[in-house]
């Protein structure tokens, strides 16, 4: 690869920012069991302390997404300051309208207007928090749906959803956005009110330019071509964010890239091709505005190194995507050379990009080998020693 | 059920029209083998003769969809007249841009502009045929897609697709429509250019009111909630047509209702609830404009009785959908009575509607038991005896 | 249907016994939220009180499966007596080796021998309990598996599993059985140690005649033909039990028959054809020994009526299966009449069997309409009023 | 990596033999269209000519599987000689009992005994051919199954299957084997008579040691963990052969490794771990007897280079599997280090093994870069020029 191109690749890798979710630092599990881990944060501040380690070792993870009410605090400006002192910034605000008893049959789509009102109030509170934290994105995921056919009116629920989204949209400031996540199923087991990208896209289109789709890589039916969705949404200026994770079956929420690293590469290639990576020729000067968030559950593995590994996995896929020889690819595609075009893509995928990323990290002042550096840092031992008593943070707390 | 309601149900059932596809009367199969059947039509006229038997016995299947070039003929006006003499009308025109060698890498999305031009010419020819036959709908299904990652540019193909669709759309007369079918996979095995309802919807939205989505019930990823899509599209006035069939695995193209009769019922309930059934309170006076087409492959079973059975299966699901007590359902839904609401739906589903449909058929002048009537008619024996020599019609011929 | 046949059908329906699981009377939910319901039992005795109502109204649900340690009690003989006083019998003992911190990386397949020992001790305790309760079946489901490739040695885990199963098998009395459940995924998200019927079958075959496979209808990959598995296992004398429930996506644990009533019918038809229903000509005089258990999670619907409905759904599917005209079916099959054979099956499925079941219930001294009878009984109101204080039973408690 | 280990890895790679299927050199397609390609072989001899090029460039593909009747010839001994003169050997004999009209409702499981007899005769003919060619394996794949519930008796078909298999098994010579392939669906769309590994395993177990399971990597339900099956079967000495290909959706028959290279690696890691790779410490001195066959359909890409690429993809996955540090892996697994164990596996997967394979090929006297060597050889142009007239070989011919 020419010297000049390599410089471009490294520059783009240096500019990529990966957002980690506060909840991934806490305990999580399945309906069968949540296994507690020693050293897990007990407060949002301790979550930020852990996030700071991830950023320190990787150099590309300064943003931390919050989840309300799990990260509710008295003074969000102070929290933002606390983050800033650790080299971090507060990222997306994630609303939670699925963990109170009233939401058993839905939140913004509930047949009961009082419940809808309560849910909307929470969304508005989240918008207020965004004002305080300076967050750009309000991330909306609704667990709303049905377990049984006939349980509620599918179309009426769409109308209730549209109404709530519109109220939120109107509330947003000029630099704030709403990103609407979709999910095939779980916790609803018959129908979900935003089951697929088409539904999210249709709502975002009606709302306007500040509404965008969030693609959680674990929320699709088996066989879904996720990179197609990414390419389509990017072309329509409607891709807002990723929730990265990986899955073999359903919404397994494993470390991103763990189940299908080739798929992750293909997704990031489409992000690059569609101009979604800042600092590449494809994105030109414009800011594509794609948030690269992780959304994972580290049920059995230690949280912090799992998040570091996930950040690295996104970087490796991105590096390979950047190494694709676009000119050679276009030539092969234009001439109908099926094997040749596929080979161009695979050449990049088969490259071992770990040395290259080691260099990028060093230039960023981070660690060539973040996993080893974290292991050597003593942090894991320190938190086990120090974080005694109190109530561990966890999914739902 | 009150006398008055029953009359409404019967009236709606009498007004339903089910369109049968000309190709289902011919041979079809899998890539492994096409099994030939004695008596299969050799010409489009013989296909219409068979379709006339289906209509005669069921009373609700006067429309026949054509496939070009499989049903190409010199004089479409004469063909329409031939149909009319048998109590039939020519229905949707189905374009075919997947069976010529040039289309190996796509038709309207092919990287080669010459191939795209050829494909577009065919679509325009189909529009011409619609003028001659008086058909309302041009049904577009594209086999276009990729078998390997990198094979072509996903986004560029969307732009080529949009361009072709726009050319066709502009060509349509004021009473003509374009219905765009989507399909998850097959024959393309990595990416399909219109893989899901979201893609079809997005294109139709840009085109305008004469463009609508066609839902083929066998074209989804496992687990997809089809009735949700139906409800959503109906609410947006973007549902144009069904291609009915059923599947256990992929696009199996079995007789509709054979694999999951409960799903078919749920779909038809949403059609009813969304005002898609003419002659119901829900559809008011407006014509919902939904085409109820079959699209099946009768690989091992005899064609004509399989089509009669399929028509009956759609009717049975429709009858059950009409029997749902909407008021009781709404009450249960509004009060959050999960089991009660589900029970209202299931009560209708568990009803044996065959006697009711027997009455409807008698009132239409058709046969109470269409399968028995066909078996007794001697037609099956006659076509085996008479249709000797010539080339059997089949998928691709 | 001939009088004589109808008598046979009713007799078989009267003899069917459906086992309800103690845990279905308690709260359950998803990883996102467990919604508490008023009136939920606080003790195993209260669970039995509720089960007694289900049996009273349906007449066919005298057996109650226990889950250890959730239903651990001081004196199992006394518990059995308590059950007996309410017309109930204690059914299968379900072991639980997934809810203690040691089991994070597995129970009987854990790489740590100390954990394996602990898990085996629990299984032995369950066998002891069986002696006390008189239960026939020890139901084994292992959550054991891996979340990440490489996490452990797939083959070594099979050997550890075989060793544990052998120890348990040797412990069983002459009238006791081990039934081994399989599950595709969850809570393990990469590999499960007993993922499919083939694995369970292979282990049971090596163990011997007292080991049988348990088919949970929600534990398969999408598209799996469950009735094929049932037919195969019955033919090999290796079908031991069902865990009935239903699903649209994964292990949704919905009320059996709610998602796909036609599938439930096909399963029960194979049970009948394979001689699995006592009192039918197919089962002759031999006791087929198939346990018809429910295993469901009533997350949003009230527990007791949901269980009553589930019992009724199994009965309706069984009734339809018994109505299949076996002789006509065999004739059509033998003559290669695809549509005819399918029609014989569908005729039975399309029959409304609710009146027939009403009669069967009356003859059993139960209620013609169990849902209405339960609603009228005042029990729902009574338990809400009386069960105040204490700790509600739930998944995991 | 230590010098000594590297030598072991290279030695194992040199000893691996990959078998190519004669039919992959001919045309294939989908039910929608078979696209013809210039230069495609017209005879079995021309297929062997092409196979010889694949072997020449890769050095590891001397075996060619035949398909009867597609490759039927007068004198199989002469054919074997023809192969030998080109450095090839004839491999597995693949029976075909799915392309004659009699097989519409099944072959060895057909309700009609005359059809079963015809099918069995063909299997016996294949065994005769094995005697003549010196082939070890008779590969049996049955398209037998049902499209509609009720169409035939599931259990009776198993008995007919067992009977046919037994007849074939008894006919086999002491060094001949039967390998039984399973497939979830297609061309049967409701039930398949050998749908999964469990069914194949159960039959093979009853037959005896000369019967083994064939794992076609495209024949599973979505989400199936194929490497688990491989590990299980290897542990039971019941893995006989692979049919390698890849898929995004169903039985797409794409080039192996094209859809999910990580899965291919995991499969080959289990092959290695289970002793399936000759020349490794894990396989010791015994011959594991696993046939590594390709079974693909090159619908849109040129056949020969697609097969070369597939051979290379198997080699790359094998090389990575051999690079896994088994000792480090075991240590991490034993200590419950989830991230560490996964990292050991991923380190090998992330290695760029192409240079290593270049060396191996050179040492074998083949080409460092087989794709480039083939392109430069002029063969592609020569066959287009020379193979004019005659009837192209293809799926079904």
């Amino acid at each position: 690869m020419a010297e000049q191109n390599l410089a471009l690749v490294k520059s783009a890798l240096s500019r990529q920012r990966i957002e980690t979710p506060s909840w991934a630092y806490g305990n999580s599990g399945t309906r069968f069991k949540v296994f507690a881990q020693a050293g897990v944060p007990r407060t949002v501040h301790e979550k930020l302390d852990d996030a700071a380690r991830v950023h320190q070792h990787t150099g590309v993870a300064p943003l931390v997404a919050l989840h309300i009410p799990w990260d509710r605090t008295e003074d969000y400006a102070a929290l933002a300051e606390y983050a800033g002192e650790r080299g971090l910034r507060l990222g997306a605000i994630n609303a939670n309208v699925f963990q109170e008893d009233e939401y058993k049959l839905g939140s913004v789509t509930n047949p009961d207007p009082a419940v809808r009102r309560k849910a909307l109030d929470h969304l508005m509170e989240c918008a207020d928090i965004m004002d305080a934290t300076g967050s750009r994105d309000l991330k909306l995921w609704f667990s709303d749906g049905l377990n049984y056919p006939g349980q509620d009116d599918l179309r009426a629920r769409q109308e209730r959803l549209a109404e709530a989204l519109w109220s939120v949209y109107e509330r947003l400031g000029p630099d704030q956005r709403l990103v609407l996540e979709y999910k095939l199923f779980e916790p609803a087991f018959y129908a979900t009110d935003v089951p697929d990208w088409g539904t999210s896209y249709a709502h975002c289109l009606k709302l306007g330019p500040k509404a965008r789709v969030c693609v959680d890589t674990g929320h699709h039916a088996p066989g879904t071509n996720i990179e197609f969705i990414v390419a389509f949404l990017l072309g329509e200026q409607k891709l807002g964010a990723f929730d990265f994770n990986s899955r073999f079956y359903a919404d397994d929420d494993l470390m991103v890239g763990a189940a299908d690293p080739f798929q992750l590469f293909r997704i990031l290639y489409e992000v690059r091709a569609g101009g979604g990576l800042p600092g590449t020729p494809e994105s030109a000067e414009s800011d594509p505005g794609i948030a690269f968030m992780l959304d994972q559950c580290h049920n059995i593995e230690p949280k912090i190194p799992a998040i570091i590994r996930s950040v690295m996995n996104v970087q490796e896929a991105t590096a390979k995507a950047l190494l694709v020889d676009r000119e050679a690819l276009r030539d092969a595609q234009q001439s109908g050379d099926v094997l040749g075009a596929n080979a161009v893509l695979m050449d990049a995928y088969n490259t071992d990009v770990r040395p290259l990323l080691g260099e990028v990290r060093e230039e960023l002042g981070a660690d060539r080998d973040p996993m080893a550096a974290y292991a050597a840092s003593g942090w894991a031992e320190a938190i086990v020693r120090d974080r005694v008593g109190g109530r561990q943070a966890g999914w739902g707390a």
Side-chain angles (χ1 to χ4, degrees), chain A:
Chain A
M1 167 164 272
E3 204 58 42
Q4 197 184 2
N5 284 348
L6 196 62
L8 262 171
V9 167
K10 290 170 75 169
S11 155
L13 289 168
S14 304
R15 291 179 59 177
Q16 190 177 32
R17 291 293 167 268
I18 296 165
E19 187 164 341
T20 71
S22 69
W23 55 96
Y25 297 96
N27 288 320
S28 60
T30 68
R31 61 173 167 149
F32 293 96
K33 172 72 177 170
V34 175
F35 295 103
Q37 294 188 7
V40 151
R42 297 155 302 172
T43 64
V44 63
H45 296 85
E46 288 183 355
K47 294 180 196 173
L48 291 175
D49 295 343
D50 287 356
R53 307 303 295 201
V54 173
H55 182 45
Q56 171 188 322
H57 295 302
T58 62
V60 296
L63 287 152
V64 182
L66 299 184
H67 206 289
I68 307 300
W70 301 344
D71 297 320
R72 198 173 267 155
T73 185
E74 301 271 308
D75 184 343
Y76 290 97
L79 189 70
E81 201 178 331
Y82 185 90
E85 289 161 7
R86 279 146 191 84
L88 303 175
R89 293 200 311 277
L90 300 180
I93 301 301
N94 290 259
N96 178 325
V97 284
F98 54 88
Q99 286 192 320
E100 296 187 56
D101 280 325
E102 287 93 335
Y103 299 141
K104 189 168 75 165
L105 302 181
S107 64
V108 295
T109 67
N110 197 299
D112 180 344
V115 179
R116 296 204 294 272
R117 183 70 241 165
K118 176 185 158 85
L120 186 57
D121 285 349
H122 176 71
L123 304 186
M124 293 301 188
E125 178 200 353
C126 288
D128 294 344
I129 292 172
M130 292 170 74
D131 291 341
T133 57
S135 299
R136 179 188 58 182
D137 291 345
L138 175 61
K139 183 136 66 74
L140 298 179
W141 172 68
F142 299 104
S143 70
D144 296 47
L146 313 177
N147 272 9
Y148 291 101
Q151 181 188 326
D152 198 3
D153 186 300
L154 290 174
R155 185 66 206 172
R157 290 175 81 94
Q158 288 301 310
E159 280 153 23
R160 296 174 203 145
L161 173 63
E163 196 180 311
L165 290 174
W166 184 245
S167 298
V168 174
Y169 190 82
E170 281 192 305
R171 162 68 182 78
L172 296 174
D175 297 328
Q176 292 176 338
R177 309 190 309 179
L178 167 171
V179 292
L180 181 58
E181 196 168 339
Y182 58 90
K183 186 174 185 183
L184 180 67
F185 79 100
E186 197 214 18
F189 292 131
Y190 160 59
T192 295
D193 290 321
V194 190
D196 54 19
W197 77 266
T199 309
S200 179
Y201 171 79
H203 281 285
C204 287
L205 206 61
K206 287 186 183 172
L207 290 170
K210 292 186 295 183
R212 292 211 189 168
V213 178
C214 173
V215 175
D216 184 305
T217 49
H219 287 189
H220 303 84
T224 302
N225 185 322
I226 301 175
E227 59 267 29
F228 174 90
I229 297 170
V230 167
F232 193 95
L233 290 173
L234 264 169
E236 305 290 322
Q237 274 86 49
K238 278 297 179 194
L239 180 65
F242 282 101
D243 265 11
F244 281 125
N245 51 55
S246 78
R247 54 79 75 90
F248 287 94
Y249 303 97
D251 186 29
D252 306 344
D253 279 334
L254 301 177
M255 297 189 300
V256 58
D260 190 346
F262 183 46
Q263 182 190 56
L264 184 62
F265 159 75
R266 297 194 310 265
I267 290 171
L268 279 155
Y269 173 71
E270 293 303 332
V271 172
R272 175 202 168 187
L277 290 179
T280 59
E282 288 86 359
S283 67
E285 295 306 306
S286 69
D287 178 9
I290 316 300
F292 296 92
M293 294 188 269
L294 304 180
D295 182 10
Q296 306 176 163
C297 291
H298 307 294
N299 297 348
I300 60 167
E301 66 272 26
K303 321 291 179 187
I304 300 172
I307 296 171
I308 293 174
R309 172 62 72 197
S310 302
V311 169
M312 293 169 70
N313 284 352
V314 174
Q315 286 186 293
E316 290 175 23
T318 306
K320 292 178 178 192
L322 288 162
L323 288 179
V324 173
D325 184 338
R326 293 266 289 165
E327 209 169 320
L329 183 63
R330 199 172 296 118
D331 287 352
Q333 290 174 342
Q334 287 294 326
S335 63
D337 179 2
V338 175
L339 291 174
N342 179 243
V344 171
L345 208 74
M346 297 312 294
D347 271 349
Y349 179 67
N350 286 324
T351 303
D352 189 341
V353 295
R354 292 174 296 178
L356 171 68
L357 280 164
E359 291 172 32
V360 169
R361 285 186 198 108
E362 259 182 358
E363 290 170 18
L364 283 170
D367 295 299
R368 184 172 272 276
D369 179 346
M371 292 295 284
Y374 175 74
S377 74
W379 184 259
E381 295 76 15
I383 56 177
V384 168
R385 192 177 58 233
D386 298 344
R387 293 178 182 170
V388 175
R391 187 176 168 213
Q392 287 197 317
W395 189 269

